[in-house]
Amino acid sequence: MNTFGRLFRIHIFGESHGGAVGINIDGCPAGIPLSKTDFEADLARRKSGAKGTTPRKESDQPELLTGIFENKTTGAPLTILFRNENVRSKDYSNLKKTPRPGHADFVAQHKFGGYADYRGGGHFSGRLTLPLTAAGVVAKKVCENLNIEARLIKAGGESDIESAINKAIEANQSIGGIVECKVNNLPVGLGEPFFDSVESLLSHIVFAIPAIKGIEFGSGFRAAQMTGAAHNDNIIDAKGKTETNHAGGINGGISNGNELEFRVAVKPTSSVSTAQNTMNLQKGEVEALKIEGRHDRCIALRVPPVLEAATAIVLADLMLLEQKAPRVIN
Amino acid sequence: MNTFGRLFRIHIFGESHGGAVGINIDGCPAGIPLSKTDFEADLARRKSGAKGTTPRKESDQPELLTGIFENKTTGAPLTILFRNENVRSKDYSNLKKTPRPGHADFVAQHKFGGYADYRGGGHFSGRLTLPLTAAGVVAKKVCENLNIEARLIKAGGESDIESAINKAIEANQSIGGIVECKVNNLPVGLGEPFFDSVESLLSHIVFAIPAIKGIEFGSGFRAAQMTGAAHNDNIIDAKGKTETNHAGGINGGISNGNELEFRVAVKPTSSVSTAQNTMNLQKGEVEALKIEGRHDRCIALRVPPVLEAATAIVLADLMLLEQKAPRVIN
Amino acid sequence: MNTFGRLFRIHIFGESHGGAVGINIDGCPAGIPLSKTDFEADLARRKSGAKGTTPRKESDQPELLTGIFENKTTGAPLTILFRNENVRSKDYSNLKKTPRPGHADFVAQHKFGGYADYRGGGHFSGRLTLPLTAAGVVAKKVCENLNIEARLIKAGGESDIESAINKAIEANQSIGGIVECKVNNLPVGLGEPFFDSVESLLSHIVFAIPAIKGIEFGSGFRAAQMTGAAHNDNIIDAKGKTETNHAGGINGGISNGNELEFRVAVKPTSSVSTAQNTMNLQKGEVEALKIEGRHDRCIALRVPPVLEAATAIVLADLMLLEQKAPRVIN
Amino acid sequence: MNTFGRLFRIHIFGESHGGAVGINIDGCPAGIPLSKTDFEADLARRKSGAKGTTPRKESDQPELLTGIFENKTTGAPLTILFRNENVRSKDYSNLKKTPRPGHADFVAQHKFGGYADYRGGGHFSGRLTLPLTAAGVVAKKVCENLNIEARLIKAGGESDIESAINKAIEANQSIGGIVECKVNNLPVGLGEPFFDSVESLLSHIVFAIPAIKGIEFGSGFRAAQMTGAAHNDNIIDAKGKTETNHAGGINGGISNGNELEFRVAVKPTSSVSTAQNTMNLQKGEVEALKIEGRHDRCIALRVPPVLEAATAIVLADLMLLEQKAPRVIN
């Protein structure tokens, strides 16, 4: 469902063109200083204005609706709302009739018996990464001694991001990318032996982010081509420091104190300018669909702050579970 | 923790060299015919005897301890036990003193304050995939109209599995591999929009399997190099059939009725014959460690039935959630 | 935490004198017709204006913020907000300094390190029964074939409610009461054998309602004085109909198809006009505290719609779990 | 389902006349000294041999199957098994044909489509309180500084327990009783504001115990007859000590540091010697049923250790949640 986490537990809600998108954080420690300005940096990174992104015009101002008093979290559920302001009145019913390839239009209507809000992707919209990013801002404060950093390391298969974007713009194409996330200063012992391994929890939330198609930890898919002797990380001090880091900071699902490292594959934006075939469900025949408007050339550009948020949410929860983050900030 | 699933919910327990490993299935539909012979095929595939695997000598006989009556599931919790028989009496305390590179020895002792059962990896042992595979046998019966099939498609980077294994044996090395899983006959609409996407749930359980370092759905990491026009799957009939299947059968986290397809990266076996450096925590200095005995050359050979089980467990749960599998079999 | 339910899952949030109180329903079936007018009857019963109640002046208009489209639920999380309008600007910091006897003032500050919102009881306020009642309106639609009815059967120990209220008003006292809830038309088989018995789930949510001090099912505490022969309900038809109903419609935690019947004890309103001793935590000495303003004489008068809501929420969840309510309304 | 708890989480399984009954504890802190002898006292109290009880002849020896190493808990799931030894081979199919009044026979078969194990009540048997009591022994060690004590305060409506039992034996009747539980030394701040109030959690697990029909906290049902001025507990020191304890140690769902106090109503044993009418489902007509064998005269005699266990399980979980009990014992 729309819930994630055990002690630091988030509930996400809202639609792209409904009244609002938002998130509710249950189990947030009391006493965390929090004001609107705290959200500015990460929300701005997500919104971006970089070449290759075309966010809709929204002020993206968080409303701290509940769980906050005198600019501190109270320990009661924290609700953060983003009212949708720039909702165009145009007719979106086409999305129900001719589902867009690569989007959730078809499955949404099918799953929910035709009742899903189809406007702008409804509850499936990438706009829901906005409240997720906001929850990440809070989560980062819960595990403030950790250093979480994600960045786009490849776009369209190239390491020169700027050139790849320019080429995509010229060719009137959308492209995908690879985002890498690293976390330093993690204690040894986060995560559970089996189902709640660090990889399990991170991948669970990461695949909630629209457009993610793959994830790998440490040496990842390259590990499949290595020998054990080459892959194993020799332990070189009493705190568990390793010579190499093919494991990506995790053994047996548990953080080992070295740098946590993982990468995700982001598919190219599904909304493209060229015509594509899809079923017209009303007529019962295939027809060419052209999606109007301007679209992100490379949605991966906006993924880093979302990925950091997802990571912080998992780690805040694990730090609380291990009693390494307090339930009340003093 | 050691629990997974919402309606078809499994609890795993046990240690490699303790009394038993086992699994408890809560929410198992009543009326499923079940006897020991049902487990033989998948347990044999997991145990294997193929070149490159060296399982310890265990009969691996499942004991159907609770939740079964007159060879049918009763709807009460189903407990499946595997007694450990071939537990050697040798001294394993070395694993606590000199943690093996690539294994969970170090993190296990650290996380559990030195109380973890270190013998043969304890609760972190690959032996826990035995009850997981058993639960998969039951899950497959819950979603018996689905066709779930996993196979090793690469070993040590090569498609010729046999040759790769032979080379590894000759070179006295362990190697990794890629296992692919495909599911046919899935209904449209499984999975939830955000956190409980099909990818989220599958990756969550998949990373519980020891040695998995990456997962990708459909075109996966290749998607990051594609253009949107090339990646989008055109919809060509009213049931949502697509021309291509870059999405791997999932849009917006929801099954779209096409073939579900994903691949996992399996790292090379961590137990290797060559000496590796690690900390001697007692002496406080690095020393060369040589792990005795024979080891799997390619643990990936044994992953397919485990991956099928993990997949079946997720899908059984989702089928029950969507009311597409009954709570009582008639 | 602030979450309840497995398939029909509610998250409650908000404070008495903050921006809003609200509730989020995850797993709500799609296609349920829903508009503001649907909430009027139950919200009016809760708000009341009856003798003995003095609700604050709030319009209590539900805002259907997310999860609704064209007046039908979409299957996405349904968020219902009630903005707090009549929030007085007076200084409430006294509640932190001199905690009111019978209230949560003391424990709230202690638990949350002094960061709890103390104004009007904050997150502990009876005002949170407003969104709970709203969620009940939706839940009743999920299990619309059930007939759920709660009523106040005793106030201040008397069956003549009106006379008891009048006496309390005259004596300038607050009084408690007993509320009984009955449900007809329940199918056999709701509830789980052990921890999720119908009694377990109902009592769990019922004790979330402020002021409830006890609950009993069927013959309840009287059963402790009966003999087995007198207490057992003879089964008199093939559908499980019983001659008597001492069990209150539940055997072994499972609904047996007879009328579900339970009663709750409601304590007298804690806010009273007479002076009471409490600690002044600032001065470190006991002092007499007088709570100003007008207060409910008998909060139990307002409990019936809240109790119906709590009951409907449990039963909606159980009906979905047993696949006796659909996930999409057609 | 058969799971309870968030951090200290138990899974119960087994049947009265199957292979075993047992419990699995996930999230049990590592390093707790544990051996079979630790279980003797509470299991003996539950088994009893007191006048009025007729337990079947079972050795009730706990098998500590997993999660234990060198007589200490390891932090991995702890499994405790009780093999059923004294399982009579007699034919129990009568219970399916003519369901016993007051028992779960009818609902069990209905809910599980006729596949439930009916022998001796199967999974619904009071025998499952055996593993619950065992889990309580472990839970008590987690919150070892708490003093949890339950005792039978009334039987058949009388305070003189012995006399009441004797009368019941003479009259060849079964009788009910009231069991009271008190906990001292609880810290302030356990429990959550709304759904996970201390009362909610305790009542949830308490109603899992067979034969419980009611629960009340502090003044309980008497509160419904009191005035607010009489019921409120004046706070008389800075630690929250109150003059009276009508609240039973809980305000707003949170422990207030005073004695926790609650009572449960236990119905008379359903198995009685006199003939009772029930449906013969095979013949489709009502017939007189006589239940053979000797039965407990007063099952309430055996409830105290079970109630203590249930209480300890809730409190262990809450102590861990509040970080007042450690995840590793040093």
Side-chain angles (χ1 to χ4, degrees):
Chain A
M1 291 161 103
N2 294 275
T3 289
F4 185 82
R6 281 182 70 208
L7 293 187
F8 185 87
R9 189 188 283 171
I10 55 177
H11 312 300
I12 202 162
F13 53 86
E15 290 84 21
S16 175
H17 289 59
V21 294
I23 204 157
N24 178 274
I25 306 175
D26 202 1
C28 182
I32 299 178
L34 201 62
S35 62
K36 286 191 184 188
T37 52
D38 291 322
F39 295 88
E40 284 174 7
D42 277 356
L43 296 189
R45 287 170 68 207
R46 177 194 163 277
K47 190 179 189 176
S48 180
K51 234 180 184 179
T53 65
T54 56
R56 78 190 200 199
K57 295 284 171 275
E58 289 277 5
S59 63
D60 288 357
Q61 286 295 312
E63 180 185 357
L64 303 175
L65 184 64
T66 72
I68 194 138
F69 180 51
E70 296 178 342
N71 295 315
K72 296 228 174 75
T73 57
T74 63
L78 178 68
T79 311
I80 306 173
L81 276 195
F82 295 88
R83 294 276 172 181
N84 293 324
E85 297 158 353
N86 188 20
V87 178
R88 284 158 294 179
S89 55
K90 78 163 192 173
D91 183 10
Y92 280 90
S93 57
N94 262 358
L95 301 185
K96 196 168 172 176
K97 199 176 63 186
T98 51
R100 294 169 297 172
H103 281 276
D105 302 339
F106 179 80
V107 293
Q109 291 309 322
H110 202 286
K111 180 178 180 72
F112 296 116
Y115 297 111
D117 180 349
Y118 44 75
R119 298 168 301 167
H123 184 57
F124 289 83
S125 165
R127 185 157 169 79
L128 275 90
T129 59
L130 175 60
L132 190 71
T133 304
V137 169
V138 183
K140 284 177 179 176
K141 291 198 168 205
V142 174
C143 48
E144 60 183 344
N145 51 332
L146 305 186
N147 183 14
I148 303 170
E149 202 179 317
R151 62 193 188 90
L152 181 63
I153 57 170
K154 281 201 182 173
E158 296 181 29
S159 298
D160 179 345
I161 310 296
E162 202 182 341
S163 136
I165 302 292
N166 283 335
K167 277 195 267 183
I169 291 173
E170 270 169 53
N172 200 14
Q173 298 278 12
S174 70
I175 55 174
I178 305 280
V179 180
E180 184 173 70
C181 185
K182 293 181 172 182
V183 185
N184 279 284
N185 216 20
L186 267 182
V188 182
L190 299 188
E192 302 287 330
F194 216 75
F195 297 119
D196 292 350
S197 72
V198 172
E199 297 105 318
S200 289
L201 297 176
L202 282 173
S203 63
H204 190 136
I205 192 170
V206 158
F207 281 115
I209 303 173
I212 306 295
K213 299 298 293 177
I215 189 169
E216 59 175 14
F217 293 84
S219 53
F221 276 85
R222 270 191 310 120
Q225 307 180 30
M226 293 169 78
T227 66
H231 188 269
N232 284 342
D233 302 311
N234 293 342
I235 302 174
I236 56 173
D237 81 8
K239 291 182 177 171
K241 189 180 168 186
T242 56
E243 213 167 2
T244 48
N245 189 19
H246 295 114
I250 307 167
N251 289 120
I254 313 291
S255 65
N256 65 17
N258 293 279
E259 188 177 57
L260 173 65
E261 181 194 313
F262 65 98
R263 281 166 301 284
V264 302
V266 185
K267 72 172 184 178
T269 320
S270 298
S271 293
V272 295
S273 310
T274 42
Q276 306 163 85
N277 281 344
T278 191
M279 275 303 282
N280 182 317
L281 296 170
Q282 215 163 59
K283 293 191 195 159
E285 55 190 47
V286 171
E287 68 178 32
L289 174 73
K290 211 156 176 288
I291 302 174
E292 285 166 33
R294 292 190 59 196
H295 314 292
D296 273 303
R297 288 301 169 194
C298 178
I299 194 74
L301 281 167
R302 298 167 69 186
V303 165
V306 183
L307 193 62
E308 287 179 12
T311 304
I313 287 162
V314 167
L315 296 177
D317 201 26
L318 291 177
M319 293 288 278
L320 283 163
L321 280 163
E322 286 300 310
Q323 306 186 344
K324 290 182 192 301
R327 299 212 49 187
V328 174
I329 308 297
N330 287 308
Chain B
M1 291 160 104
N2 295 274
T3 289
F4 186 82
R6 282 183 69 208
L7 293 187
F8 185 87
R9 190 188 282 171
I10 55 176
H11 313 299
I12 202 161
F13 53 85
E15 290 83 22
S16 175
H17 289 58
V21 293
I23 204 157
N24 178 274
I25 305 176
D26 201 1
C28 184
I32 299 178
L34 200 63
S35 63
K36 285 190 185 190
T37 53
D38 292 321
F39 295 87
E40 285 174 6
D42 278 354
L43 295 189
R45 287 170 68 204
R46 175 192 165 279
K47 190 179 189 175
S48 179
K51 233 182 184 175
T53 65
T54 57
R56 77 191 201 200
K57 294 284 170 277
E58 288 278 5
S59 63
D60 288 355
Q61 286 294 313
E63 180 186 356
L64 303 174
L65 184 64
T66 72
I68 195 139
F69 180 50
E70 296 178 342
N71 295 315
K72 297 230 173 73
T73 58
T74 63
L78 177 68
T79 310
I80 307 172
L81 276 194
F82 296 88
R83 295 276 172 181
N84 293 325
E85 295 158 355
N86 189 22
V87 177
R88 286 157 293 180
S89 56
K90 76 163 191 173
D91 183 9
Y92 280 91
S93 58
N94 262 358
L95 301 186
K96 195 169 172 176
K97 199 176 63 187
T98 51
R100 295 169 296 173
H103 280 275
D105 302 340
F106 179 80
V107 294
Q109 289 310 322
H110 202 286
K111 181 178 180 72
F112 297 116
Y115 297 111
D117 180 349
Y118 45 75
R119 299 168 300 167
H123 184 57
F124 289 82
S125 165
R127 185 157 168 78
L128 273 91
T129 58
L130 175 59
L132 190 71
T133 304
V137 169
V138 182
K140 284 177 179 176
K141 291 199 169 203
V142 174
C143 47
E144 61 182 344
N145 51 332
L146 305 186
N147 183 14
I148 303 171
E149 202 179 318
R151 63 195 186 88
L152 181 63
I153 57 170
K154 283 202 181 170
E158 295 181 29
S159 297
D160 179 347
I161 310 298
E162 202 181 343
S163 136
I165 302 292
N166 283 336
K167 277 194 267 183
I169 291 172
E170 270 169 53
N172 200 15
Q173 298 279 11
S174 69
I175 54 174
I178 306 279
V179 180
E180 183 172 71
C181 185
K182 294 181 174 184
V183 184
N184 279 284
N185 216 20
L186 267 182
V188 183
L190 298 188
E192 301 286 332
F194 217 76
F195 297 119
D196 291 352
S197 71
V198 172
E199 297 106 319
S200 289
L201 298 175
L202 282 173
S203 63
H204 189 137
I205 192 171
V206 158
F207 281 114
I209 304 172
I212 305 294
K213 300 297 292 177
I215 189 169
E216 58 175 15
F217 293 84
S219 51
F221 276 85
R222 271 193 308 119
Q225 308 181 29
M226 294 169 77
T227 65
H231 188 270
N232 284 343
D233 300 311
N234 293 341
I235 303 174
I236 55 174
D237 81 7
K239 291 181 177 171
K241 189 179 167 186
T242 56
E243 212 166 3
T244 49
N245 188 20
H246 295 114
I250 307 168
N251 289 119
I254 314 292
S255 66
N256 67 16
N258 293 280
E259 188 178 56
L260 174 65
E261 181 194 311
F262 65 98
R263 280 167 301 285
V264 302
V266 186
K267 73 172 184 177
T269 321
S270 298
S271 293
V272 295
S273 310
T274 42
Q276 307 163 83
N277 281 344
T278 191
M279 276 302 284
N280 182 318
L281 296 170
Q282 215 162 59
K283 293 191 196 160
E285 53 190 47
V286 171
E287 68 178 30
L289 174 73
K290 212 158 176 286
I291 303 173
E292 283 165 35
R294 292 190 57 198
H295 314 292
D296 273 303
R297 287 303 170 192
C298 179
I299 195 74
L301 281 166
R302 298 167 69 186
V303 165
V306 183
L307 193 61
E308 287 179 11
T311 304
I313 286 162
V314 167
L315 295 176
D317 201 25
L318 291 178
M319 293 288 277
L320 283 162
L321 280 163
E322 286 299 310
Q323 306 187 343
K324 290 183 192 302
R327 300 211 50 186
V328 173
I329 309 295
N330 287 309
Chain C
M1 292 160 104
N2 295 275
T3 289
F4 186 81
R6 281 181 70 208
L7 293 187
F8 185 87
R9 189 188 283 172
I10 55 176
H11 313 299
I12 202 162
F13 53 85
E15 290 83 22
S16 176
H17 289 58
V21 294
I23 204 156
N24 178 274
I25 306 176
D26 201 2
C28 183
I32 299 178
L34 200 63
S35 62
K36 286 191 183 188
T37 53
D38 291 321
F39 295 87
E40 285 174 6
D42 277 356
L43 296 189
R45 287 170 67 206
R46 176 192 165 277
K47 190 180 189 175
S48 180
K51 236 181 183 178
T53 63
T54 56
R56 78 189 200 201
K57 295 285 171 275
E58 287 277 6
S59 62
D60 288 358
Q61 287 294 314
E63 181 185 356
L64 302 175
L65 185 64
T66 71
I68 194 137
F69 180 51
E70 296 179 342
N71 295 314
K72 296 227 173 74
T73 57
T74 63
L78 178 68
T79 310
I80 307 173
L81 277 195
F82 296 88
R83 294 275 172 182
N84 292 326
E85 297 159 354
N86 189 19
V87 178
R88 285 157 294 179
S89 56
K90 78 164 191 171
D91 183 10
Y92 280 90
S93 57
N94 263 357
L95 301 185
K96 194 167 173 178
K97 198 177 62 186
T98 51
R100 295 168 296 172
H103 281 276
D105 302 340
F106 178 81
V107 295
Q109 290 310 322
H110 202 286
K111 181 178 180 72
F112 296 115
Y115 297 111
D117 180 349
Y118 44 74
R119 297 168 302 165
H123 184 57
F124 289 82
S125 165
R127 186 158 168 77
L128 273 90
T129 59
L130 175 59
L132 190 70
T133 305
V137 169
V138 182
K140 284 177 179 176
K141 292 199 168 203
V142 174
C143 47
E144 61 182 343
N145 50 332
L146 306 185
N147 183 13
I148 303 170
E149 202 179 318
R151 62 194 188 90
L152 181 64
I153 58 169
K154 281 200 182 175
E158 296 181 29
S159 297
D160 180 346
I161 310 297
E162 201 181 343
S163 137
I165 302 291
N166 282 335
K167 276 195 268 183
I169 291 173
E170 270 170 52
N172 200 14
Q173 298 278 12
S174 69
I175 55 173
I178 305 279
V179 180
E180 184 172 71
C181 185
K182 294 182 172 182
V183 184
N184 279 285
N185 216 20
L186 267 182
V188 182
L190 299 189
E192 301 286 331
F194 216 75
F195 297 120
D196 291 351
S197 73
V198 172
E199 297 106 319
S200 289
L201 296 176
L202 282 173
S203 63
H204 190 136
I205 192 170
V206 158
F207 280 115
I209 304 173
I212 305 294
K213 299 298 293 178
I215 189 168
E216 60 175 14
F217 293 84
S219 52
F221 276 85
R222 271 192 308 119
Q225 308 181 31
M226 294 170 76
T227 65
H231 188 269
N232 283 343
D233 302 310
N234 293 341
I235 302 172
I236 56 173
D237 81 8
K239 292 182 175 170
K241 190 181 168 185
T242 56
E243 213 167 2
T244 50
N245 188 20
H246 294 115
I250 307 169
N251 289 120
I254 313 290
S255 66
N256 67 16
N258 293 278
E259 188 178 57
L260 173 65
E261 182 195 310
F262 66 98
R263 279 166 302 285
V264 302
V266 186
K267 72 171 184 179
T269 320
S270 298
S271 293
V272 296
S273 310
T274 43
Q276 306 163 84
N277 281 344
T278 191
M279 276 303 282
N280 181 318
L281 295 170
Q282 215 161 60
K283 293 192 195 157
E285 54 190 45
V286 170
E287 69 177 30
L289 174 73
K290 213 159 175 283
I291 302 174
E292 284 165 35
R294 293 190 57 196
H295 313 293
D296 273 303
R297 288 302 168 193
C298 178
I299 194 73
L301 281 167
R302 297 167 69 185
V303 164
V306 183
L307 193 61
E308 287 179 12
T311 304
I313 287 162
V314 167
L315 297 176
D317 201 26
L318 291 177
M319 293 287 278
L320 282 163
L321 280 163
E322 285 301 310
Q323 306 186 343
K324 290 184 193 300
R327 299 212 50 186
V328 174
I329 308 296
N330 286 308
Chain D
M1 291 161 105
N2 295 275
T3 289
F4 186 81
R6 281 182 69 207
L7 293 187
F8 185 87
R9 191 188 282 172
I10 55 175
H11 313 299
I12 202 162
F13 52 85
E15 290 83 23
S16 176
H17 289 59
V21 294
I23 204 157
N24 178 273
I25 306 176
D26 200 2
C28 184
I32 299 178
L34 200 63
S35 63
K36 286 190 184 189
T37 53
D38 292 321
F39 296 87
E40 284 174 6
D42 278 355
L43 296 189
R45 287 171 68 207
R46 175 192 165 278
K47 190 179 188 175
S48 179
K51 234 182 183 176
T53 63
T54 56
R56 75 191 203 199
K57 295 284 171 276
E58 288 277 5
S59 62
D60 288 356
Q61 286 294 312
E63 180 186 356
L64 303 174
L65 183 64
T66 71
I68 194 138
F69 179 51
E70 295 178 342
N71 294 315
K72 297 229 173 72
T73 57
T74 63
L78 178 67
T79 310
I80 307 171
L81 276 194
F82 296 89
R83 294 275 173 183
N84 293 324
E85 295 157 355
N86 190 20
V87 177
R88 286 157 292 180
S89 56
K90 77 164 191 171
D91 183 10
Y92 281 90
S93 57
N94 263 357
L95 301 185
K96 194 169 173 176
K97 199 177 62 187
T98 52
R100 295 168 296 172
H103 281 276
D105 302 340
F106 179 80
V107 294
Q109 291 308 323
H110 202 285
K111 180 177 179 72
F112 296 115
Y115 298 110
D117 180 349
Y118 45 74
R119 299 168 302 167
H123 184 58
F124 289 83
S125 165
R127 186 159 168 76
L128 273 91
T129 60
L130 175 59
L132 190 70
T133 304
V137 169
V138 182
K140 284 177 180 177
K141 293 199 167 203
V142 175
C143 46
E144 61 182 344
N145 51 332
L146 306 186
N147 183 13
I148 303 170
E149 202 180 318
R151 63 194 187 88
L152 181 64
I153 57 168
K154 283 202 181 173
E158 295 181 28
S159 297
D160 180 346
I161 310 297
E162 201 181 344
S163 137
I165 302 291
N166 283 335
K167 277 196 268 184
I169 291 173
E170 270 171 52
N172 200 15
Q173 297 280 11
S174 69
I175 55 173
I178 306 279
V179 180
E180 184 173 70
C181 186
K182 293 182 173 183
V183 184
N184 278 284
N185 216 20
L186 267 183
V188 183
L190 299 188
E192 301 286 331
F194 216 76
F195 297 119
D196 291 351
S197 72
V198 172
E199 297 106 319
S200 289
L201 297 175
L202 282 172
S203 63
H204 190 136
I205 192 170
V206 158
F207 281 114
I209 304 172
I212 306 294
K213 299 297 293 178
I215 189 169
E216 59 175 15
F217 293 84
S219 52
F221 276 86
R222 271 192 309 118
Q225 307 180 30
M226 294 169 77
T227 64
H231 188 270
N232 283 344
D233 301 311
N234 293 341
I235 303 173
I236 55 173
D237 81 7
K239 290 182 176 171
K241 189 180 168 186
T242 56
E243 213 166 2
T244 49
N245 188 20
H246 295 114
I250 307 168
N251 289 120
I254 312 291
S255 66
N256 66 16
N258 292 279
E259 188 178 56
L260 173 65
E261 182 195 311
F262 65 98
R263 281 167 300 285
V264 303
V266 185
K267 72 172 186 178
T269 321
S270 298
S271 292
V272 295
S273 309
T274 43
Q276 308 162 83
N277 280 344
T278 191
M279 275 303 283
N280 181 317
L281 295 170
Q282 214 162 60
K283 292 190 196 159
E285 54 189 47
V286 171
E287 68 177 30
L289 174 73
K290 214 159 174 284
I291 303 173
E292 283 166 35
R294 292 190 58 197
H295 313 292
D296 273 303
R297 288 301 170 194
C298 178
I299 193 74
L301 281 166
R302 298 167 69 185
V303 164
V306 183
L307 193 61
E308 286 179 12
T311 304
I313 287 162
V314 167
L315 295 177
D317 201 25
L318 291 178
M319 293 288 277
L320 283 163
L321 280 164
E322 286 301 309
Q323 307 187 341
K324 290 183 192 303
R327 300 211 51 185
V328 173
I329 309 296
N330 286 309

